[in-house]
Amino acid sequence: MNNFLLFAVVNLTLVLFLSPLYISVIKKVKAIIQGRRGPSIIQSYRNIFKLLKKESLYSHNSSFIMRVAPYIDFTGSLLLSLFVPLVFIPNNSNVFGNIILFLYILMLGKFVIALSGLDAGSTFGGMGSSREMSLSAIIEPTIIVVFAAVVFSFDSINFFEIIKSSLLSQNHIFLWLLLIPFIIIFITESSRIPVDNPETHLELTMIHEAMILEQSGKNLALIEWSSAIKQLLLIGIIVNIFIPIGISTSMNILALSIAVIIFFVKSLLFAIGIGIFESNIAKLRFFRIPNLFAISYFLSFITILIEVLL
Amino acid sequence: MNSLLLADLQKILIVGMILLTVISVSRRNLISLINMYSFQSFILSLVILLIFFEDKKIILLYIALLTIISKCSFIPILLKRTQKSMKIHVDLEYNLFGPTTSIFISLLIFGMLFFLFLGIKEQLGANSLNYISIIFGMSMLFIGMLIIIARKKIITKIIGYLMMENGVVLLSIFIGDLPLLIEILILIDLLVLLAITSVLGFGMNSSVENFHVKLNPFRKWFKRVSEE
């Protein structure tokens, strides 16, 4: 149990304090490519800090859902951070690390936020919730098939074991095919550019931003922090499954600090890559997004067939 | 190089080929379609080169060089010239199925072929790499056909046909020895096809429906001649 406690402390600290960084890193990379100076690297920390000091305002029409939704979402994200080993793999646990539970908790947060978008009765919130829910309904089969491909190829349903076996055996080159579906899932879940634009508040294009338009103050800070945490966790899954170098399995302080540094470099490179990718691509029309999902479905289906049956 | 690693690399390259075919089912920009075809041919030549490093048969080297020269450079340049003369940049129209449906149909084709051929895997005497390339070659053939059926513009149909041919080459490379002569004949076939379609493409304003309108004067003329 001591082992797991250390894992929990390390993961929670990393996730809480590192997650807002990646949002501003991606913004900075995009700004540099567009020839601007861009916001400072710590701007997202400042935003969250500023919002935490402000009071939350509620619409007269809103019910208790509006008040509890950010807390449920944030707690869900904190719980999720115990599922994905970022720098340290603890002993196996039956509850934590289960992929299916992970996906359901991920959906829970989305569901609650969508409800709170509907709750205030404003047109924008309802529109955003309906868009977000239809998108997540479309991507759900793809997510399941992609994670099923991972489960089949590593023969385990636990993130701890999957990353451990990925660390021990280097012969998973064929699995690199899953990188494209994973990146498509990452883009959709963290509402980034080909699917949704996180920077705009334009009626026509916003999806995630429309849902949280009614939120303010502490609640908004919690929601933004929680989406940053989810983004970091998805980065952690992708980076640690495909490049498992440097993850520590022992409770040694030296190995742990090296692992933190290596994870930091890996995930930062991934974020920079996402920034470059985003600035090279235009936002897709809403009705062409299923195409993208169909392609990632195709790839993961192929991977399952070949990994399992051959 | 480790042979297991080599086989894995080949598998990834072959999957990349089929992925490009599937993406081009739904892709709308013509220039990027042509680029995708030339990239696919480049991957095909890489696969052939990897087999050459394993088998050391000199004929494979010739085939790879031929692929690079003709399919990666010559045919795309010709296609781009045709596309320029047509003055269109996107192919938005679909005949029977929409883009997403087409992708799922190609998934269906792949799955069916996979399970159909699983029964005769022993008779083929194929290891997993051979089996994958046979299945993928076959499904590239059928997905190329799907492109020809589902898209309307003539230049996209040509690309579907060319991708079909890539599937044939992939299939024949792994299933047995492909004589160089046949490969050259196929290439000449492709070039003649390309020449004919670009000549037609000038005349018929790039869509098959317009072809009938253009042919209508001929029909009238023929009718008049036969009546006289």
Side-chain angles (χ1 to χ4, degrees):
Chain A
M1 200 55 214
N2 197 8
N3 190 331
F4 190 79
L5 206 64
L6 176 75
F7 162 74
V9 170
V10 169
N11 248 25
L12 277 178
T13 342
L14 267 182
V15 153
L16 277 179
F17 293 105
L18 217 55
S19 57
L21 181 71
Y22 294 91
I23 291 180
S24 28
V25 165
I26 295 177
K27 267 186 192 162
K28 188 85 180 170
V29 170
K30 281 169 76 177
I32 289 171
I33 289 175
Q34 288 163 1
R36 295 184 283 121
R37 256 196 21 243
S40 138
I41 287 286
I42 53 168
Q43 185 59 43
S44 45
Y45 291 97
R46 283 190 201 138
N47 279 353
I48 288 173
F49 193 64
K50 176 191 79 185
L51 285 172
L52 276 177
K53 284 191 297 190
K54 294 198 169 185
E55 67 166 330
S56 306
L57 295 175
Y58 300 104
S59 152
H60 291 301
N61 303 320
S62 61
S63 67
F64 73 99
I65 290 175
M66 196 82 176
R67 290 158 177 80
V68 297
Y71 295 96
I72 296 178
D73 187 32
F74 190 70
T75 320
S77 299
L78 286 186
L79 195 60
L80 283 184
S81 65
L82 298 181
F83 278 61
V84 184
L86 296 179
V87 292
F88 174 67
I89 306 174
N91 297 330
N92 279 331
S93 151
N94 286 328
V95 182
F96 295 103
N98 190 314
I99 284 184
I100 296 168
L101 199 56
F102 178 86
L103 293 179
Y104 273 99
I105 296 175
L106 204 65
M107 278 311 289
L108 177 73
K110 223 183 216 180
F111 168 71
V112 172
I113 295 294
L115 271 190
S116 80
L118 288 168
D119 188 45
S122 84
T123 45
F124 276 120
M127 190 187 69
S129 302
S130 113
R131 284 179 182 173
E132 176 92 1
M133 279 295 116
S134 46
L135 264 192
S136 59
I138 298 170
I139 197 156
E140 198 62 26
T142 311
I143 295 182
I144 291 171
V145 173
V146 172
F147 277 99
V150 172
V151 167
F152 275 129
S153 13
F154 285 106
D155 227 355
S156 163
I157 202 161
N158 196 306
F159 272 127
F160 301 167
E161 273 183 44
I162 285 173
I163 292 176
K164 195 180 277 178
S165 61
S166 155
L167 182 67
L168 294 180
S169 76
Q170 299 294 326
N171 257 340
H172 278 291
I173 295 181
F174 196 67
L175 217 67
W176 276 79
L177 285 178
L178 284 179
L179 191 62
I180 300 171
F182 259 117
I183 287 177
I184 290 174
I185 286 176
F186 170 78
I187 283 165
T188 318
E189 288 294 321
S190 57
S191 41
R192 303 220 68 89
I193 252 190
V195 177
D196 180 11
N197 192 347
E199 274 142 43
T200 177
H201 282 95
L202 192 69
E203 179 187 354
L204 279 172
T205 55
M206 60 181 173
I207 298 174
H208 183 76
E209 294 297 317
M211 274 198 309
I212 59 173
L213 213 56
E214 294 288 326
Q215 305 282 0
S216 58
K218 288 186 189 64
N219 291 354
L220 185 59
L222 285 184
I223 288 175
E224 281 188 353
W225 206 348
S226 134
S227 60
I229 289 174
K230 280 175 193 158
Q231 182 176 323
L232 175 63
L233 290 177
L234 285 171
I235 291 178
I237 293 173
I238 296 172
V239 157
N240 280 352
I241 286 180
F242 292 105
I243 319 165
I245 310 156
I247 304 168
S248 109
T249 43
S250 59
M251 285 169 32
N252 188 340
I253 220 59
L254 181 72
L256 215 58
S257 44
I258 289 174
V260 169
I261 291 169
I262 290 178
F263 174 75
F264 187 66
V265 171
K266 281 191 295 190
S267 48
L268 217 56
L269 283 179
F270 184 83
I272 290 171
I274 286 289
I276 294 171
F277 171 73
E278 268 190 25
S279 31
N280 281 318
I281 206 163
K283 190 183 168 299
L284 277 180
R285 256 181 69 212
F286 192 72
F287 295 109
R288 285 184 60 197
I289 294 172
N291 242 335
L292 201 69
F293 298 164
I295 286 168
S296 74
Y297 190 90
F298 187 87
L299 255 184
S300 33
F301 190 76
I302 285 180
T303 317
I304 290 183
L305 280 189
I306 289 171
E307 281 282 330
V308 176
L309 288 168
L310 284 182
Chain B
M1 209 190 285
N2 189 350
S3 71
L4 203 69
L5 196 76
L6 206 70
D8 262 7
L9 210 63
Q10 275 171 347
K11 278 183 200 169
I12 287 184
L13 288 177
I14 292 170
V15 174
M17 280 177 71
I18 200 172
L19 184 68
L20 283 172
T21 320
V22 171
I23 292 174
S24 57
V25 170
S26 65
R27 192 80 190 155
R28 312 200 291 183
N29 190 334
L30 287 181
I31 295 198
S32 95
L33 268 173
I34 297 170
N35 286 341
M36 253 188 236
Y37 168 69
S38 79
F39 187 53
Q40 192 192 40
S41 315
F42 180 67
I43 295 178
L44 177 67
S45 60
L46 275 187
V47 172
I48 301 173
L49 273 181
L50 282 182
I51 306 170
F52 166 71
F53 287 134
E54 224 170 0
D55 286 4
K56 302 271 186 282
K57 280 181 195 157
I58 198 76
I59 192 167
L60 290 171
L61 186 65
Y62 289 145
I63 292 178
L65 282 180
L66 211 61
T67 311
I68 288 183
I69 292 168
S70 63
K71 287 182 192 162
C72 297
S73 52
F74 193 58
I75 290 179
I77 289 171
L78 267 183
L79 273 177
K80 274 180 187 166
R81 277 181 61 183
T82 318
Q83 189 261 336
K84 237 180 211 166
S85 72
M86 283 176 179
K87 294 197 180 66
I88 45 168
H89 302 286
V90 283
D91 177 5
L92 301 169
E93 292 158 283
Y94 286 84
N95 252 343
L96 285 174
F97 326 110
T100 313
T101 325
S102 301
I103 293 178
F104 276 106
I105 288 174
S106 43
L107 183 63
L108 208 69
I109 290 171
F110 175 78
M112 258 165 58
L113 283 173
F114 190 93
F115 287 111
L116 277 178
F117 274 73
L118 211 57
I120 55 162
K121 195 186 165 201
E122 262 82 68
Q123 278 98 317
L124 284 173
N127 61 15
S128 83
L129 178 63
N130 278 12
Y131 187 68
I132 284 173
S133 63
I134 289 168
I135 296 301
F136 282 23
M138 288 288 269
S139 31
M140 269 171 71
L141 232 153
F142 283 105
I143 296 168
M145 209 157 78
L146 186 73
I147 296 177
I148 297 179
I149 295 169
R151 308 296 290 263
K152 264 193 175 170
K153 292 267 189 288
I154 197 85
I155 196 158
T156 329
K157 284 179 195 277
I158 298 174
I159 288 170
Y161 185 82
L162 293 171
M163 284 187 168
M164 253 171 95
E165 201 274 330
N166 271 355
V168 173
V169 173
L170 184 65
L171 186 66
S172 53
I173 285 288
F174 276 91
I175 214 164
D177 288 336
L178 180 77
L180 189 61
L181 187 67
I182 292 178
E183 171 73 8
I184 292 172
L185 281 179
I186 291 175
L187 268 178
I188 291 173
D189 219 34
L190 281 186
L191 287 177
V192 170
L193 172 99
L194 209 65
I196 293 172
T197 40
S198 27
V199 169
L200 287 177
F202 273 114
M204 63 183 166
N205 200 12
S206 73
S207 157
V208 179
E209 273 76 17
N210 300 36
F211 198 43
H212 296 297
V213 183
K214 295 267 174 188
L215 279 182
N216 218 19
F218 277 111
R219 195 171 59 96
K220 281 177 186 163
W221 175 79
F222 191 72
K223 223 175 180 177
R224 213 176 55 222
V225 169
S226 60
E227 274 169 6
E228 277 171 8

